[in-house]
């Protein structure tokens, strides 16, 4: 599980002495902490079947012995099950601790992001090429119920990939705006296609963006 430095500004107002020290140590870090071992946080089949997915951010201390401490959910997936799996994975993990300029191990507050999605599953070319419309519809329904008014994880992931795949042709802001507008229209059409034919693969329903997703996935 990868970690990233957590800015002091996001710390809770009331902090323990250990947490205060870990935050202050950010200015002393010469070598960042490194994940050594621990379980992977996987999307359960029961959650997948219900369309439950999302991203969890866990804030915690990696102490001088490389052990997690003071673990908390910084950003919830809005699924208690997924949040719990992410927390449990951190609890069972070990890290190479951060070190100062003299090579001494120091405690550090970090954030570990974990993404749970049927799109991200093990296997050749990842999961996008095996992501069917039936799963897409379940995911979209769950997202709409739990993140009303916000674009779904799959939408943002797909848009980001399409923009990466077409960035060579985007030379100005107008082209960028057009790309996003066209993608939104193709997304709505893909929703209609999937509703009518849930057995269709998502990359075939999303046109022309699906072809870009297929190309990027196949190149990995």
């Amino acid at each position: 599980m990868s970690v990233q430095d957590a800015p002091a500004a996001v710390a809770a107002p009331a902090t323990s002495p250990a947490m205060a020290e870990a935050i202050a140590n950010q200015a002393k870090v010469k070598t960042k902490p490194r994940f050594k071992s621990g379980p992977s946080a996987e999307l359960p089949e029961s959650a997948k079947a219900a369309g439950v997915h999302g991203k969890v951010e866990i804030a915690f201390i990696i102490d001088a012995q490389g052990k997690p401490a003071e673990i908390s959910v910084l950003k919830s997936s809005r699924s208690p099950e997924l949040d719990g799996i992410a927390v449990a994975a951190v609890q069972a993990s070990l890290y190479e601790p951060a070190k100062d300029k003299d090579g001494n191990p120091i405690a550090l507050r970090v954030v570990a992001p974990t993404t749970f999605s049927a799109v991200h599953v093990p296997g050749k070319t990842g999961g996008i090429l095996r992501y069917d419309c039936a799963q897409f519809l379940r995911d979209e329904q769950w997202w709409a119920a739990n993140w009303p008014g916000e674009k779904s994880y799959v939408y943002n992931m797909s848009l980001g990939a399409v923009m990466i795949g077409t960035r060579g042709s985007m030379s100005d802001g107008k082209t960028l705006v057009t790309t996003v507008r066209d993608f939104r229209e193709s997304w709505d059409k893909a929703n209609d296609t999937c509703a009518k034919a849930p057995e269709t693969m998502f990359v075939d329903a999303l046109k022309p963006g699906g072809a870009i997703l297929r190309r990027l996935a196949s190149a990995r």
Side-chain angles (χ1 to χ4, degrees), residues 99-117:
K99 295 180 181 179
D100 63 17
K101 62 182 179 62
D102 297 318
N104 299 313
I106 55 175
L108 188 69
R109 180 181 185 271
V110 297
V111 171
T114 301
T115 299
F116 297 91
S117 172

Side-chain angles (χ1 to χ4, degrees), residues 15-31:
T15 58
S16 68
M19 181 63 78
E21 179 183 4
I23 292 172
N25 280 344
Q26 290 177 9
K28 303 177 183 178
V29 174
K30 176 66 175 179
T31 304

